[in-house]
Amino acid sequence: MISKGFKWVFRSPPRLLLIGFACIILAGTILLKLPAATAAEETTSWIDALFTATSATCVTGLVTLDTGTHWTTFGQIVILALIQIGGLGFMTMATLFAFFLKRKISLKERLILQEALNQSSMEGIVRLVRRVIVYALSIQLIGALLLSVRFLFDMSPGRAIYFGIFHAISFFNNAGFDIMGHYKSLTDYVGDPLVNIVTMLLIILGGLGFIVLSDLIDWKRTRRLTLHSKVVLSMTGFLIGFGALVILVFEYTNAGTMEPLSFGEKLLSAFLQSVSPRTAGVNSLDLASLRQATQFFLVLLMFIGASPGSTGGGIKTTTFATLIGAVYAMMRGKDDVVMFRYRLAQERVYKALTVTLLSLALVLVATMILSTTEDHHFLEILFEVTSAFSTVGLSMGLTLELTLVGKIIIIVMMFIGRVGPLSMGYAFGPKPGRTLYRYAEGKIIIG
């Protein structure tokens, strides 16, 4: 019976990934429940330990307890380990140990890596994993050094180095956890160019995806980029620039956010708040004081999220670009979605539509449930649910006041958002068979 259960798990890579993430969350929950993880005179309930472990493993950043004051150094290191494993993927970390042990990667492990990195082929998957590990560790190391140097002006050397390492790992993995204390995030550094620019670069590099990073590094040699990289880079640049402009316009005269700042500080905060909703969860402005138009715009940015094969969540930039391309093609009366002189397969368009509708349905259902269980404004609840599903971590304050049911719903949304709604369907759905026939074509009126 046990062997049959193991076969059921290992038969499907999506199922194995899902169960693997669940096991990591369970281990993290147990570690965070230990007395050594909690600061003196503080207690941690099982639901709060589970919430924190899920948020860290799913690289979200929503917290019911202040990371900087509630947890001891041991607890924070557990959270940091969960962030790294969750961001890079537990299969990537397992492959790293296999490299150290000089063990060959089996075919089944390659299939799981293919699913974990969202690749369409196993070709070159081990080489890509090597690059993922090297790029991630290198970028995080540089980010940690730069942040540590800046923090040296505000704290002791040991504390500055620790803060630099923690925040570099958290920001690169788009986790949004911070140990500044009292839920402040980067509000104390709203006008600091070094902290803001390094933070944005870490978030962007983590959110582009390792395939794109690999393409960019190889560009000097190949002088070409894949279609995927072109779409990701152009859409990322557009969303950051357009997002910053919209936030700057809406918040420029808001006395609770940007009005007291200099023009340079306004620009920095506008760009950071444009980059952060792409699943990073860092804020330098008080989110609760933002105008409602800005808050709703951040919901849209969070829903789009980062790019495939990255540490971020959301429906992904390529999905959004495909939908825009499909709308444009339909309005122009064209049969094909064309990007950079390449035609997209119809299957890609169907997948983009499926991911978007499934994600939207999950967000709406969770929002409706929380609107019943939580006594808060609708926009606050929608903001929280979208933040959880897109593994962003931004909050307008609702997380701290969630009921038990509310915490469970947010935990489920974070987990589904990290694994992906399609992967959840593949994990437990029936194995698709080949259809040997097609039905007669019918016609319905659309629009």
Side-chain angles (χ1 to χ4, degrees):
M1 195 74 176
I2 294 175
S3 76
K4 282 185 179 179
F6 276 114
K7 284 182 181 178
W8 180 82
V9 171
F10 284 98
R11 195 178 294 130
S12 167
R15 194 178 299 147
L16 182 60
L17 284 175
L18 187 149
I19 293 173
F21 270 113
C23 290
I24 292 166
I25 290 170
L26 178 61
T29 302
I30 294 170
L31 289 173
L32 290 175
K33 192 68 177 71
L34 295 174
T38 306
E41 299 180 3
E42 297 281 356
T43 56
T44 306
S45 64
W46 279 106
I47 188 65
D48 286 329
L50 175 62
F51 192 101
T52 305
T54 305
S55 183
T57 306
C58 298
V59 289
T60 304
L62 290 175
V63 291
T64 55
L65 303 166
D66 184 53
T67 312
T69 58
H70 180 85
W71 304 105
T72 61
T73 303
F74 171 75
Q76 292 170 359
I77 290 172
V78 169
I79 291 171
L80 203 59
L82 293 175
I83 290 171
Q84 191 71 283
I85 294 170
L88 299 184
F90 72 91
M91 277 306 299
T92 303
M93 301 302 290
T95 306
L96 173 61
F97 287 110
F99 290 156
F100 280 130
L101 297 173
K102 297 183 179 179
R103 189 175 67 81
K104 191 174 181 181
I105 310 300
S106 68
L107 177 62
K108 185 167 285 293
E109 288 168 337
R110 290 169 192 259
L111 282 168
I112 299 167
L113 284 169
Q114 177 189 340
E115 179 69 25
L117 293 172
N118 200 15
Q119 297 298 290
S120 57
S121 168
M122 279 195 301
E123 184 181 354
I125 194 71
V126 176
R127 183 172 65 252
L128 178 60
V129 170
R130 283 198 186 98
R131 289 188 167 196
V132 166
I133 294 167
V134 172
Y135 297 163
L137 295 180
S138 300
I139 292 169
Q140 288 174 101
L141 178 60
I142 295 170
L145 287 172
L146 292 172
L147 290 176
S148 297
V149 169
R150 172 60 188 86
F151 292 146
L152 278 172
F153 292 92
D154 301 328
M155 55 192 77
S156 65
R159 188 173 172 83
I161 293 169
Y162 177 60
F163 268 53
I165 293 171
F166 188 100
H167 292 102
I169 293 174
S170 177
F171 296 163
F172 175 78
N173 286 288
N174 282 210
F177 278 85
D178 71 88
I179 50 175
M180 296 298 178
H182 308 292
Y183 310 101
K184 289 189 297 186
S185 192
L186 295 182
T187 51
D188 288 345
Y189 295 91
V190 62
D192 191 293
L194 181 60
V195 172
N196 279 266
I197 291 170
V198 171
T199 299
M200 284 189 280
L201 286 175
L202 285 169
I203 294 169
I204 292 168
L205 291 172
L208 284 177
F210 297 107
I211 306 161
V212 178
L213 290 179
S214 181
D215 258 12
L216 288 172
I217 290 171
D218 287 343
W219 185 82
K220 194 172 182 179
R221 177 174 54 85
T222 62
R223 293 290 173 180
R224 62 183 295 274
L225 293 174
T226 62
L227 174 63
H228 172 81
S229 296
K230 290 178 181 178
V231 172
V232 166
L233 290 170
S234 57
M235 186 54 64
T236 299
F238 168 75
L239 288 172
I240 291 173
F242 180 70
L245 178 62
V246 171
I247 293 167
L248 187 65
V249 169
F250 284 161
E251 296 299 316
Y252 199 88
T253 57
N254 186 347
T257 55
M258 283 191 184
E259 190 181 44
L261 305 178
S262 67
F263 183 72
E265 291 172 338
K266 287 176 181 175
L267 279 179
L268 278 177
S269 59
F271 272 101
L272 181 66
Q273 291 311 143
S274 177
V275 170
S276 179
R278 313 284 308 296
T279 84
V282 183
N283 62 285
S284 58
L285 299 174
D286 181 14
L287 298 180
S289 299
L290 295 173
R291 291 192 168 110
Q292 286 191 348
T294 311
Q295 292 170 348
F296 185 71
F297 181 69
L298 293 184
V299 169
L300 298 179
L301 289 180
M302 289 191 293
F303 189 71
I304 295 170
S307 302
S310 72
T311 58
I315 64 170
K316 305 295 191 291
T317 52
T318 49
T319 303
F320 182 66
T322 302
L323 292 178
I324 297 296
V327 171
Y328 178 78
M330 179 60 69
M331 292 183 70
R332 295 294 299 271
K334 297 183 181 295
D335 295 328
D336 298 322
V337 176
V338 178
M339 295 181 183
F340 295 98
R341 298 185 180 180
Y342 283 95
R343 172 177 56 86
L344 295 188
Q346 201 172 47
E347 171 206 349
R348 300 288 96 186
V349 181
Y350 285 156
K351 186 172 182 179
L353 187 60
T354 303
V355 168
T356 304
L357 289 179
L358 279 176
S359 302
L360 185 61
L362 286 165
V363 168
L364 292 178
V365 169
T367 302
M368 289 170 64
I369 295 171
L370 287 183
S371 295
T372 306
T373 63
E374 313 302 314
D375 185 20
H376 283 267
H377 294 298
F378 176 79
L379 184 55
E380 290 180 330
I381 294 171
L382 177 64
F383 193 98
E384 198 84 6
V385 171
T386 309
S387 178
F389 174 77
S390 298
T391 68
V392 178
L394 292 176
S395 175
M396 290 162 59
L398 176 59
T399 311
L400 303 177
E401 301 175 16
L402 286 171
T403 62
L404 176 62
V405 175
K407 288 178 182 178
I408 293 170
I409 295 295
I410 294 297
I411 286 170
V412 172
M413 291 300 291
M414 289 191 291
F415 187 77
I416 295 175
R418 182 65 183 96
V419 176
L422 271 186
S423 294
M424 292 285 288
Y426 293 152
F428 295 108
K431 189 176 180 181
R434 186 180 176 188
T435 305
L436 301 176
Y437 56 89
R438 294 182 73 186
Y439 290 102
E441 184 179 299
K443 293 184 179 179
I444 60 173
I445 299 172
I446 302 293

